[in-house]
Amino acid sequence: MDKFKGKNILDFMKVFPDDGSCREYLANLKWHDGFTCPKCGHTKGCLKKDHKYHCYGCGKVESSTAGTLFHKVKFGLRKAFCIVFEMSTTSKSLSSIQMGERYGIRQGTAWYFMHKVRSAMESSKKHPLKGLVHVDEFIIGGQEENAPGRSYNTRKTKVIIAVELNEERKVKRAYAKVIDDYSAKSFTPLFEQHISEEAKVVTDKWRGYSPLKKKYNIEQVPSNKGKNFKELHIIIHKIKSWLRTVHAPISKQHVRRYLDEYSYRLNRSQSKQTIFHNNIKRMIQGKPRLHSQIINGS
Ligand SMILES: [Zn+2]
């Protein structure tokens, strides 16, 4: 089978009935363009029935999970595939508690693995937002929505978000980033990594955006209590309510990964058919991550 398509869980179960079928899927993806031995650099070898590549140069036997984000998954590849399927095809992924219960694995184990999946969901930064882009900031972990001005509570995580609107003013794509404060310096990475210089950017009257006008086409309009940024605030609301169900409280260094996950799904709402396959491919290309890296959010 070359590419799993769709969101149907029964189809999914049929295609991936056991760990072996998942290993085969990974092997086909990993060595699609040929084999290079990680040990001796030899390019000749053979893919055996166990879905491992046997190098003719040095005799090394390489598994399809080695050197990928599936490295050392201890609870079985099929369960890992199921978690990736849930996280990429549902509009709201489950909490690690629910995921653990569903697949009979410890909550902590589910949490680690889900963060590995999230790290594969990180943006390539190759497709900056274009056209009409609305930008604003929000905070996670507080009930200060009604308080005027910017929140300076240091325990709360500050986030800047940009959404691209289509001609009918519907949200097409979005990117969000954790920021230290509301200065132009903190806003800059989101602009540089995710907004095209040709885009028409609209923000509220906050002075932090002014220095960015040198490089970007920014129009500042009054927020009018959010009325001028309705679509943007719906997305913010969705992110916040999703995060409330996922894991509470989320430490600051992990918020980034949840934002990546949210954007990954939202930005692919037009390509849901191949989202699972795409996610698996990213997991194959992603380097293995240590538990300590997951913990410190790097
Ligand atoms: Zn070799």
Side-chain angles (χ1 to χ4, degrees):
M1 113 148 275
D2 42 83
K3 202 187 256 191
F4 180 84
K5 285 187 181 153
K7 298 161 74 177
N8 186 313
I9 195 153
L10 296 178
D11 290 347
F12 179 84
M13 293 302 178
K14 225 180 277 168
V15 172
F16 301 108
D18 47 32
D19 289 350
S21 48
C22 301
R23 233 182 323 236
E24 187 181 354
Y25 197 82
L26 291 185
N28 287 339
L29 260 174
K30 186 174 181 181
W31 295 302
H32 182 263
D33 301 319
F35 165 81
T36 305
C37 178
K39 201 173 155 197
C40 73
H42 208 75
T43 53
K44 293 230 162 42
C46 108
L47 184 58
K48 295 250 169 98
K49 277 207 181 90
D50 56 5
H51 312 299
K52 288 179 180 167
Y53 226 104
H54 297 241
C55 173
Y56 286 160
C58 67
K60 183 184 161 62
V61 178
E62 201 197 337
S63 78
S64 53
T65 55
T68 77
L69 281 165
F70 288 106
H71 191 57
K72 288 189 175 161
V73 164
K74 290 197 182 74
F75 47 86
L77 216 42
R78 191 186 186 223
K79 287 182 181 180
F81 265 49
C82 289
I83 294 174
V84 176
F85 186 73
E86 301 242 28
M87 289 177 75
S88 44
T89 59
T90 53
S91 57
K92 286 181 181 177
S93 95
L94 301 170
S95 71
S96 56
I97 299 169
Q98 293 166 312
M99 206 66 101
E101 282 169 355
R102 187 172 284 199
Y103 297 106
I105 54 180
R106 282 177 44 242
Q107 179 268 332
T109 307
W111 186 89
Y112 275 118
F113 184 70
M114 288 172 82
H115 268 290
K116 289 183 187 176
V117 180
R118 283 182 194 111
S119 72
M121 290 171 159
E122 191 179 326
S123 163
S124 67
K125 303 178 180 79
K126 284 181 194 151
H127 307 284
L129 304 178
K130 302 176 292 191
L132 180 59
V133 176
H134 283 187
V135 180
D136 202 0
E137 324 92 52
F138 63 100
I139 49 163
I140 290 170
Q143 275 120 29
E144 295 185 22
E145 268 103 314
N146 298 322
R150 263 71 184 165
S151 166
Y152 289 94
N153 190 325
T154 49
R155 283 179 309 141
K156 306 213 160 76
T157 305
K158 303 172 192 76
V159 176
I160 182 168
I161 180 168
V163 303
E164 177 183 319
L165 301 175
N166 68 12
E167 276 147 26
E168 290 124 35
R169 285 182 79 94
K170 288 213 172 85
V171 174
K172 242 176 115 181
R173 297 185 295 149
Y175 291 108
K177 257 190 185 312
V178 173
I179 46 175
D180 290 332
D181 53 43
Y182 303 112
S183 67
K185 189 170 170 269
S186 294
F187 294 165
T188 301
L190 177 94
F191 276 76
E192 286 188 342
Q193 291 167 16
H194 296 297
I195 304 176
S196 159
E197 284 177 33
E198 276 88 59
K200 181 183 166 25
V201 182
V202 184
T203 72
D204 64 12
K205 292 280 196 184
W206 175 246
R207 62 179 186 277
Y209 290 104
S210 303
L212 290 157
K213 285 179 180 169
K214 271 179 240 149
K215 205 167 161 194
Y216 294 89
N217 172 16
I218 300 175
E219 184 193 351
Q220 292 196 280
V221 301
S223 163
N224 194 13
K225 287 184 182 158
K227 283 195 188 100
N228 288 335
F229 297 90
K230 212 175 101 208
E231 300 79 12
L232 177 64
H233 283 117
I234 291 171
I235 292 289
I236 293 175
H237 180 77
K238 282 184 180 168
I239 292 176
K240 286 181 162 195
S241 56
W242 171 60
L243 287 179
R244 253 176 250 131
T245 65
V246 169
H247 201 281
I250 302 169
S251 27
K252 195 174 173 180
Q253 71 266 33
H254 296 136
V255 170
R256 175 170 71 98
R257 296 250 178 261
Y258 289 94
L259 297 174
D260 286 345
E261 178 186 351
Y262 193 88
S263 288
Y264 181 80
R265 270 196 304 269
L266 177 78
N267 298 352
R268 275 162 196 76
S269 43
Q270 303 302 315
S271 48
K272 280 280 185 199
Q273 283 295 312
T274 51
I275 194 169
F276 168 77
H277 179 81
N278 177 284
N279 205 174
I280 292 286
K281 215 167 145 185
R282 283 166 166 248
M283 296 283 291
I284 286 277
Q285 288 156 353
K287 291 277 160 286
R289 299 194 91 83
L290 301 170
H291 278 191
S292 58
Q293 291 175 305
I294 300 278
I295 294 277
N296 67 27
S298 66

